[in-house]
Amino acid sequence: MGRQTRLLFGLSLQNLFGWNVFRHTRDAGKRRRYRLFGILWGFLALILLFYVGGASFGLCYLGAGHLVPALLVMVVSGITFFFTLFKAGPVLFDREAYERQIVLPVTARAILVSRFLSMYVTDMLLGFLVLLPGMAVYGALKGPGLSFWLYGIVAGLFLPLLPMTAASILGALVTGISSRWRRKNIVAIILTMVFVILVLAGSFSLSGMEEGMLEDMAHTIVEHLEGQISGIYPPARWISQAMLEGRAGSLALFLALSVGIFLVFLGVLQFFYGKICSLLGANAARGNYRMTGLRARPVLGSLVARDLRRYFASTIYVTNTLIGAVMQVMMVLALFFVGKEQVEEVLGLIGRPGLLERVMPLALGFLPGMMPTTAASISLEGKQWWILQTLPVTRQEIARSKILVNLMVAAPFCLVSEILAVLVLQPGWVDLVCLVLFPALFLLFSAVVGLAVNARFPVFDWDSEIKVVKQGSSATLTVLANFLAFLVPMVLLVGCPGVPSFWIYLGMGAVMGLVIMVVDRHLEWQSREK
């Protein structure tokens, strides 16, 4: 690593997770908030540790412990690829950051490598959160030798490299292709969502295959599953061989492939890096502009149009908030094309008639409401937030415009999903009312909660939209709040089959409606970050 890369990478590390702000701020409230969210992230990491450990214990208990390393590798690689696909373009090709750094005595290669390494650190930490608890459970139950731990740690250090490179290549293709179009953001959004849909479709088919296999628990089926894993992702087999059988050659093959592909990607991209970053800032303009008549809009309509332009101007913003709605449609499409009986068999609902119909309204509401646009809408105003507050508009008009944007974005997906769900499930009148009304109410509830959380914890001094959309405290708290709103009725629907679902949805609807009214009445925000 060259000196220029080390310096740029060191600056990125200091800003990682807001560490630099926490170290130097004199605001006691801000330091207290950073500690609070540190505890929150620690709690989430603890939940992940228990989940991975429990899954590894289950495989060992079922006699398929030798699949643990390969499955852990696949999970880490899948998570790394999925998250890097969203942030590769905005991080690697951040035009404003590139223009600030390229005037310094540094090369484009040093800038590119430092940005890649900044993503690599976060993905590596997440990978070890998945890898280490699984290795610990397997090690406690099977007692492997020293090579298991040594090769596992070495593999974990380089494990994110290959999926990150693959996702970065796709991100570079999306960014490069979209930069040639006048509406580059729309093109980038469409291409990114197409890649996400393909990844989700592949993961859904793989999960269905594994579920059917694990039901038999026969040794021949386990061997077949192992063959499928090797065919889908050969590096998982190489790392498994190195950890379980002590094959240093398999580990060397994985390291050579990962590092080699990364170096080739880096060597090719550095020649086009500056051009791609420059094209991202180019705007196509026509020379035939004619002044026409002006027209006035209602205040609320003008604010909604403004927020919609801001929304579609950010690829990372759109893809992160639309992923839940896309998953909603894909879930119902699977139900429509595969059939209700097969879906119930895959989900393990055979012998529990009517449970799918009971939980469907809740699922249709939670998926698109998981990450609402309002969770970052105030923070994304950035340094222009004060301008909006000086306009002759009320607080309610600003809030409702941001909530309306969330509803306008998610409503088409919800409508399509509800129509398909009604055609497949053919519910009675009572269930039909729940299926139509509750998802809409959950969507409104999540938008209001996201706006309230973001108003309480805004971040205006961001230098990258990723810090607000993906890494912001408001986004994390909103996801947790919506998950709790999903978990409570889910427990009641599954654990209390004697209680009619209508009364459960009616009770949750009343609680959500009360929350919406209270937030609408008492919503306050601050004009700047404290």
Side-chain angles (χ1 to χ4, degrees):
M1 185 187 299
R3 181 173 179 272
Q4 297 176 0
T5 304
R6 287 199 306 271
L7 291 174
L8 293 175
F9 179 53
L11 292 175
S12 299
L13 286 181
Q14 291 182 19
N15 292 320
L16 191 64
F17 304 122
W19 171 246
N20 203 35
V21 177
F22 177 76
R23 287 173 54 199
H24 298 288
T25 183
R26 298 182 179 180
D27 189 336
K30 182 176 290 189
R31 294 180 67 89
R32 185 167 53 250
R33 192 170 68 183
Y34 272 99
R35 292 191 185 99
L36 175 62
F37 285 110
I39 296 173
L40 176 62
W41 281 108
F43 176 71
L44 294 176
L46 190 62
I47 293 178
L48 179 62
L49 294 179
F50 277 107
Y51 179 80
V52 175
S56 302
F57 177 82
L59 285 173
C60 293
Y61 179 79
L62 295 172
H66 63 284
L67 294 179
V68 170
L71 287 175
L72 290 175
V73 170
M74 287 197 64
V75 170
V76 172
S77 301
I79 293 175
T80 302
F81 178 86
F82 189 77
F83 284 101
T84 304
L85 185 61
F86 283 119
K87 63 183 180 180
V91 171
L92 291 179
F93 307 108
D94 187 348
R95 178 182 59 87
E96 294 181 358
Y98 174 79
E99 291 177 349
R100 290 196 302 267
Q101 293 176 342
I102 198 62
V103 296
L104 301 174
V106 295
T107 62
R109 178 187 176 90
I111 297 175
L112 177 60
V113 175
S114 65
R115 294 185 184 182
F116 192 92
L117 290 178
S118 66
M119 295 192 302
Y120 182 82
V121 169
T122 56
D123 289 335
M124 183 181 63
L125 293 176
L126 180 60
F128 272 117
L129 282 177
V130 176
L131 192 63
L132 290 179
M135 291 176 58
V137 170
Y138 181 88
L141 295 178
K142 300 297 182 179
L146 180 62
S147 61
F148 173 84
W149 302 100
L150 179 61
Y151 292 160
I153 297 298
V154 173
L157 292 174
F158 291 88
L159 189 55
L161 196 58
L162 190 58
M164 281 186 62
T165 304
S168 299
I169 291 174
L170 291 179
L173 289 175
V174 169
T175 306
I177 294 173
S178 62
S179 65
R180 305 295 298 176
W181 294 70
R182 182 168 179 260
R183 304 289 184 182
K184 59 175 72 69
N185 288 325
I186 301 298
V187 176
I189 290 168
I190 294 174
L191 292 176
T192 304
M193 294 309 298
V194 168
F195 286 132
V196 170
I197 291 172
L198 293 176
V199 172
L200 289 176
S203 63
F204 285 166
S205 62
L206 179 61
S207 63
M209 176 189 66
E210 292 174 359
E211 184 69 24
M213 292 176 181
L214 291 176
E215 290 177 354
D216 296 331
M217 296 305 164
H219 291 290
T220 56
I221 300 298
V222 171
E223 292 175 359
H224 182 61
L225 176 59
E226 186 176 8
Q228 292 292 334
I229 294 175
S230 302
I232 294 172
Y233 193 60
R237 175 168 56 88
W238 303 337
I239 296 176
S240 179
Q241 290 175 347
M243 295 175 64
L244 299 180
E245 303 174 18
R247 297 187 185 180
S250 297
L251 181 63
L253 179 61
F254 163 73
L255 297 179
L257 179 67
S258 301
V259 176
I261 291 180
F262 166 68
L263 293 178
V264 171
F265 164 74
L266 183 64
V268 173
L269 184 60
Q270 65 178 337
F271 293 106
F272 308 96
Y273 184 63
K275 185 177 181 180
I276 292 177
C277 291
S278 300
L279 286 174
L280 288 178
N283 293 315
R286 293 179 297 179
N288 59 347
Y289 175 77
R290 295 291 185 274
M291 184 67 181
T292 59
L294 301 178
R295 59 174 181 169
R297 278 181 178 175
V299 173
L300 185 59
S302 299
L303 291 175
V304 169
R306 174 185 178 275
D307 287 336
L308 281 175
R309 287 194 298 269
R310 179 64 185 88
Y311 177 71
F312 287 106
S314 173
T315 304
I316 193 72
Y317 192 17
V318 174
T319 53
N320 274 269
T321 53
L322 273 187
I323 185 63
V326 171
M327 292 175 63
Q328 176 196 40
V329 175
M330 293 184 65
M331 178 188 69
V332 182
L333 284 176
L335 186 66
F336 185 79
F337 289 106
V338 176
K340 173 184 171 183
E341 292 76 13
Q342 284 189 294
V343 172
E344 288 180 336
E345 182 178 357
V346 170
L347 297 178
L349 300 180
I350 298 298
R352 306 192 68 176
L355 184 57
L356 184 61
E357 289 82 352
R358 283 172 65 88
V359 302
M360 184 56 68
L362 183 61
L364 292 182
F366 170 69
L367 286 176
M370 180 170 50
M371 178 58 181
T373 62
T374 53
S377 59
I378 295 178
S379 295
L380 283 174
E381 295 284 347
K383 297 178 181 179
Q384 297 181 350
W385 176 234
W386 70 272
I387 299 177
L388 185 60
Q389 293 183 294
T390 59
L391 296 177
V393 294
T394 64
R395 175 187 59 82
Q396 288 84 1
E397 288 171 331
I398 297 175
R400 286 166 188 169
S401 69
K402 296 185 179 302
I403 293 173
L404 277 175
V405 168
N406 183 79
L407 298 179
M408 293 172 64
V409 169
F413 296 90
C414 290
L415 182 60
V416 172
S417 301
E418 289 180 352
I419 293 174
L420 293 176
V422 169
L423 293 176
V424 174
L425 300 178
Q426 298 181 355
W429 286 107
V430 175
D431 293 332
L432 179 62
V433 171
C434 296
L435 191 62
V436 172
L437 295 183
F438 189 80
L441 180 61
F442 199 110
L443 196 62
L444 178 61
F445 168 81
S446 65
V448 172
V449 169
L451 187 63
V453 173
N454 196 209
R456 180 64 181 85
F457 301 104
V459 176
F460 298 124
D461 58 348
W462 47 269
D463 55 0
S464 173
E465 294 172 345
I466 293 180
K467 293 183 178 180
V468 177
V469 178
K470 292 183 67 69
Q471 302 172 358
S473 56
S474 297
T476 304
L477 287 176
T478 301
V479 171
L480 286 177
N482 290 328
F483 180 74
L484 290 177
F486 163 82
L487 185 63
V488 173
M490 177 62 75
V491 171
L492 295 175
L493 290 168
V494 176
C496 304
V499 180
S501 59
F502 174 78
W503 296 110
I504 296 176
Y505 284 120
L506 182 62
M508 287 302 302
V511 174
M512 289 180 177
L514 180 62
V515 171
I516 292 172
M517 289 188 295
V518 171
V519 171
D520 182 68
R521 181 181 296 269
H522 300 285
L523 179 65
E524 295 291 345
W525 48 56
Q526 51 198 52
S527 58
R528 62 183 179 83
E529 185 184 14
K530 294 182 180 180

